[in-house]
Amino acid sequence: MANRKTRVLVGREDVILKATIEDFIQSNAPIGSTFLKKQHRYNFSPATIRATMSALEEKGLLTHPHVSAGRIPTDLGYRTYVDDLMDKKGPSSKGNKFIREMETMATGMEDLMRATAVMLAKISKLFGVVILKGYQKSILSDIELVKLGSDRIMVVLAMKTGLVRSIVLNLKVEVADGMLIRINEALRNSLVGLRLDDIAGSMELRLKDSDVFEHEIIQILLNRSSQMYTAQHDAVVFTSSYNELLTQPEFNDTQQFQDLLPALEIDSLLNDIDLSNQLHWNAVIGGENENELLHDCSLVSAPFKGSLVSGRLALLGPKRMQYSSLKTILHQFAEGIKHVC
């Protein structure tokens, strides 16, 4: 991971750096001294601004795409801005509106988490992610075997948190309805009320004295217990579509976006988003991301905690993003989840 240490600013450097970054975020065009002078009506000259921008470039906070261009922020420039310079934004009325919509759209825990990811993406024009922690500590409240055909069964797990998980079993033999009821009853009697990680470690022991233990369904469930009762990083991920992200100019290049897609897969997101940080919001900028596919991106996230669930909300997009506004939006959504979960 890249060095996250910020640089000491002197004189007018903080004012010029803040203005340059915010104007670049807004315009997506390199910022020059003349533009800053006109935009902000400084009482010092363009020459002073140019000298200050040159000093900021020497400190590694700004750079320029080519010789005659204005400046753009470096990763370290963004880091200094996020840590020391950006203003605190008040609650967003648009954020409150989306939260109200989210609450009315959601009819269950999974619907709520999925709606949250979608709403985060819509309001930010970025890629929205919601990660629920503690999947393996979820308590099983019900298990249902649903017959899809004579030799196909869907196993549905319902958790106390409201999460639902299902898996389809392809069998070698047909299963009579009466036998399916007996197996379902045995599973309920043995497993309901237990944590998923307890089930994964003791399912065979709990069922071995049952008269249906040798049945193909039970044996398949035993062989696939890790798939059903455990999850990568003990977490479940919900994401928005890519559509909002495609509105960002940085991803107009089809090949560049195609190269990014593997980083948007669930397994990658679970590795790239810091689930251990439950105290603060976090911004990982450009080269600070250990995943090289995200070196042109930033990943901002914040924790949430309700009475039943906890996890992390995240937004992924170009480094040129409205960090302060996004921090506020993430905290708004975290509060919204807290009140409904």
Side-chain angles (χ1 to χ4, degrees), residues 36-90:
L36 286 179
K37 175 69 174 177
K38 291 180 179 179
Q39 184 80 358
H40 301 279
R41 301 181 184 276
Y42 294 131
N43 58 6
F44 40 89
S45 68
T48 299
I49 298 174
R50 281 195 296 274
T52 304
M53 296 179 86
S54 294
L56 290 168
E57 187 165 2
E58 288 179 5
K59 291 185 175 182
L61 302 170
L62 297 178
T63 186
H64 53 270
H66 46 84
V67 175
S68 61
R71 266 71 169 197
I72 64 174
T74 63
D75 290 2
L76 185 58
Y78 279 122
R79 171 53 55 197
T80 303
Y81 172 75
V82 167
D83 288 350
D84 302 326
L85 301 178
M86 72 180 187
D87 297 326
K88 183 178 180 180
K89 299 290 185 181

Side-chain angles (χ1 to χ4, degrees), residues 170-173 212-221:
N170 294 307
L171 309 176
K172 295 179 180 178
V173 296
V212 296
F213 179 75
E214 298 296 336
H215 195 279
E216 182 185 8
I217 291 176
I218 298 295
Q219 293 304 308
I220 292 176
L221 291 178

Side-chain angles (χ1 to χ4, degrees), residues 150-167:
S150 61
D151 58 354
R152 296 181 76 233
I153 301 295
M154 181 168 65
V155 183
V156 182
L157 306 176
M159 269 68 82
K160 189 176 180 180
T161 58
L163 284 176
V164 177
R165 283 290 171 268
S166 62
I167 185 171

Side-chain angles (χ1 to χ4, degrees), residues 323-334:
Y323 292 95
S324 184
S325 296
L326 296 177
K327 180 179 181 180
T328 297
I329 289 166
L330 288 170
H331 286 317
Q332 278 185 274
F333 274 77

Side-chain angles (χ1 to χ4, degrees), residues 258-269:
Q258 289 290 334
D259 292 342
L260 175 65
L261 285 178
L264 306 184
E265 297 296 329
I266 287 174
D267 289 351
S268 181
L269 292 168

Side-chain angles (χ1 to χ4, degrees), residues 297-314:
C297 299
S298 284
L299 187 57
V300 295
S301 64
F304 68 86
K305 184 173 178 59
S307 59
L308 294 176
V309 296
S310 65
R312 202 156 187 94
L313 307 175

Side-chain angles (χ1 to χ4, degrees), residues 139-156:
I139 295 174
L140 185 68
S141 61
D142 196 12
I143 185 167
E144 183 77 26
L145 302 185
V146 180
K147 198 168 187 179
L148 301 179
S150 61
D151 58 354
R152 296 181 76 233
I153 301 295
M154 181 168 65
V155 183
V156 182

